[in-house]
Amino acid sequence: MLYFVLAFLLILIVNMLFRNKRYLVSLLITIILCFSFALTDEYYQTKVVGRTDQFKDVVIDTCGALVGCLFYDTYYFAYKLDSKNVLVVKHAKAKE
């Protein structure tokens, strides 16, 4: 759940920094940042007594981040498609 929220917020921020022009780059940066954070979290767990580090946990955390990105994708593309449809309808009404 943590990585879902982290990815959603990160892609929102990175996408705003690129002003919605480089969506795939925003997506890639978000996944890389979440993966890096998961790696550092697992490294930190090696320093805590009673905790173990497993690459499986990194993969699970990154999958959570991917789901967060997919959730944002559905919002992003639905909003973009909806705004384009509104423009098409307004343009069609203006021609009448």
Side-chain angles (χ1 to χ4, degrees):
M1 183 70 177
L2 171 72
Y3 287 89
F4 174 88
V5 174
L6 176 67
F8 185 84
L9 293 176
L10 274 175
I11 199 166
L12 184 66
I13 292 168
V14 174
N15 208 16
M16 284 180 168
L17 289 175
F18 287 123
R19 298 175 194 225
N20 295 332
K21 294 183 181 176
R22 299 184 188 261
Y23 182 75
L24 290 177
V25 174
S26 301
L27 183 66
L28 185 65
I29 289 171
T30 301
I31 296 301
I32 289 171
L33 286 173
C34 289
F35 179 75
S36 300
F37 188 72
L39 278 175
T40 56
D41 183 43
E42 289 302 312
Y43 174 73
Y44 174 73
Q45 285 185 13
T46 63
K47 307 297 181 193
V48 177
V49 178
R51 302 288 307 259
T52 60
D53 62 326
Q54 295 181 349
F55 189 73
K56 178 177 70 171
D57 289 340
V58 174
V59 172
I60 291 170
D61 294 340
T62 305
C63 287
L66 285 170
V67 171
C69 288
L70 286 173
F71 186 76
Y72 180 78
D73 287 347
T74 56
Y75 160 76
Y76 179 78
F77 287 115
Y79 176 75
K80 277 193 102 163
L81 290 176
D82 187 42
S83 65
K84 284 183 182 179
N85 288 339
V86 169
L87 291 175
V88 170
V89 170
K90 285 182 181 179
H91 184 65
K93 286 183 180 180
K95 283 187 174 182
E96 291 177 356

